[in-house]
């Protein structure tokens, strides 16, 4: 079995990681805007009523997990331990999508 990954597989992982990092802030911004454009979100912004019961630390934790795992996937050498990079990219996307879902659900 060949332990060296193909260059195209390594490039794909890098591409997915970069794409996730580029989309992280727009995902958060769009989810926040969508959640706060509802009546409940407006009441939270204007009066501090009916706000999310999800702690801010949870949302921040998932955001930082997405950012950190994306950076790990980028910084990791392309030719070594491709499964670790694959897990980092999967964790990045899962954390990013969870952050967006928590923001949409929270307002």
């Amino acid at each position: 079995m060949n332990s060296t990954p193909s260059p195209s597989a390594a490039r794909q992982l890098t591409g997915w990681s970069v794409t996730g990092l580029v989309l992280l802030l727009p995902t958060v911004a769009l989810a926040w805007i969508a959640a706060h454009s509802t009546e409940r979100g407006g009441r939270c912004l204007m009066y501090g009523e009916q706000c999310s019961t999800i702690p801010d630390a949870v949302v921040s934790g998932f955001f930082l997990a997405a950012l950190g795992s994306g950076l790990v996937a980028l910084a990791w050498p392309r030719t070594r331990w491709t499964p670790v990079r694959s897990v980092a990219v999967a964790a990045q996307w899962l954390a990013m999508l969870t952050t967006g879902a928590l923001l949409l659900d929270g307002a």
Side-chain angles (χ1 to χ4, degrees):
M1 181 186 334
N2 187 5
S3 63
T4 305
S6 69
S8 65
R11 228 175 292 125
Q12 273 187 324
L13 282 174
T14 302
W16 278 105
S17 179
V18 168
T19 302
L21 288 172
V22 167
L23 291 176
L24 183 59
L25 285 179
T27 298
V28 169
L30 289 174
W32 190 88
I33 289 169
H36 287 88
S37 64
T38 64
E39 182 180 341
R40 180 177 170 208
R43 291 193 69 76
C44 178
L45 285 176
M46 295 296 289
Y47 307 112
E49 300 171 352
Q50 299 179 355
C51 292
S52 174
T53 58
I54 299 170
D56 289 340
V58 172
V59 178
S60 298
F62 277 106
F63 177 83
L64 291 175
L67 181 64
S69 58
L71 292 175
V72 164
L74 277 182
W76 203 273
R78 283 186 175 191
T79 57
R80 293 190 5 210
W81 295 343
T82 301
V84 174
R85 287 186 72 217
S86 299
V87 169
V89 171
Q92 171 192 7
W93 278 84
L94 179 64
M96 179 178 71
L97 294 174
T98 303
T99 302
L102 287 173
L103 287 170
L104 284 173
D105 184 53

